[in-house]
Amino acid sequence: MSTPLVALACVTEDVDGVPHPAVRQAYVTALETVACCAVALLPGPAALLPDVLDRFDGLVMGGHESDVDPARYGGPPLPGKRAPERDELALSAIPRAIRAGLPLLGICRGLQELNVAYGGTLRDIGGLSLGAEHREDLSLPRDEQYLPRHDIAVAGGGLLERTTGRRTLRVNSLHQQAIRALAPGLRLEAAAADGVVEAVSAVDASAFCLAVQWHPEWYAATDPVPRQLFTAFGEAAAAHAGRRR
């Protein structure tokens, strides 16, 4: 069987004043070594998506330090880093991918993008007391920043429970935005004790479609739960590749 090819959304960033398509290597490594997929970066423009999506076997919307623009979901203006080209790409790619039956994995910003794409809203938790459990300690080495920090409750009978076999997980959700109103058409898969939504799935998706608020890519090679998530996505992508070819 041929190796499945998955699209990994990225963001254009300036390096020495020159624009570069950028994504953290941890996503690529987890997809290549755990999900067993080949990876193609998808920086946009969104206008080209109808011509290229049928060449892929899955879509991954990873995290980024930028926030989804509140204007995308009718929220009030907020401070924070923006990536308008990523917003445009996400809100165009996600519905198209799901309609086309592509497996989809959302991580951190990817969960927020899935919620907005389905008509939900977000909130800024950075200034709230609950936000402390969802922020990295920048004084620590990077590997320690991404260690699991809090527990989440997994909903019974959902895709996340079927994938992991667990009703409680300990995760490393590190983020500024979070779901405020869960979109119609999405299923709650997990939540933290403070009410923050930690995982969702799309009810109408015909293929694997799961988005998580935490960062499973960081320890995908060594932590059993992240490995299960990437393996499940990779198996769905491989099945799509088999049907496509």
Side-chain angles (χ1 to χ4, degrees):
M1 182 180 293
S2 300
T3 301
L5 175 65
V6 299
L8 174 59
C10 58
V11 176
T12 300
E13 296 183 352
D14 283 345
V15 179
D16 293 331
V18 180
H20 286 68
V23 67
R24 286 187 173 178
Q25 180 64 33
Y27 293 104
V28 178
T29 299
L31 289 167
E32 290 180 340
T33 63
V34 181
C36 299
C37 296
V39 179
L41 296 188
L42 189 65
L48 296 178
L49 283 172
D51 298 326
V52 299
L53 268 185
D54 63 354
R55 305 180 191 181
F56 299 118
D57 300 306
L59 174 66
V60 181
M61 307 300 299
H64 190 256
E65 62 184 356
S66 61
D67 294 334
V68 178
D69 190 337
R72 298 283 184 171
Y73 52 87
L78 293 170
K81 185 175 181 178
R82 300 283 181 261
E85 77 288 349
R86 171 63 185 258
D87 291 347
E88 181 182 358
L89 175 64
L91 299 184
S92 179
I94 289 171
R96 290 180 182 277
I98 292 175
R99 287 197 300 268
L102 285 184
L104 186 147
L105 177 63
I107 295 173
C108 196
R109 194 188 209 272
L111 173 140
Q112 298 154 15
E113 292 166 338
L114 178 63
N115 191 57
V116 173
Y118 268 75
T121 61
L122 306 177
R123 56 177 173 154
D124 188 316
I125 65 170
L128 304 179
S129 58
L130 65 84
E133 283 294 309
H134 302 268
R135 300 292 293 171
E136 63 267 49
D137 184 346
L138 298 178
S139 67
L140 296 174
R142 188 60 59 90
D143 282 347
E144 293 183 29
Q145 292 176 28
Y146 279 81
L147 287 172
R149 294 190 60 195
H150 65 89
D151 292 334
I152 62 172
V154 178
L159 178 57
L160 184 58
E161 185 193 27
R162 295 197 301 273
T163 300
T164 65
R166 307 187 188 199
R167 292 295 303 274
T168 303
L169 299 174
R170 191 160 184 83
V171 302
N172 58 351
S173 52
L174 309 170
H175 55 109
Q176 179 82 7
Q177 287 181 307
I179 290 177
R180 178 186 296 275
L182 185 64
L186 296 186
R187 183 186 192 276
L188 178 67
E189 295 282 346
D194 54 24
V196 171
V197 174
E198 291 283 349
V200 299
S201 60
V203 176
D204 64 344
S206 61
F208 180 94
C209 179
L210 182 67
V212 300
Q213 185 60 77
W214 70 91
H215 286 273
E217 78 283 358
W218 206 258
Y219 291 105
T222 57
D223 190 317
V225 171
R227 176 173 286 276
Q228 288 171 317
L229 295 179
F230 278 96
T231 297
F233 173 75
E235 290 173 349
H240 185 276
R243 292 190 297 270
R244 182 165 65 89
R245 298 183 179 117

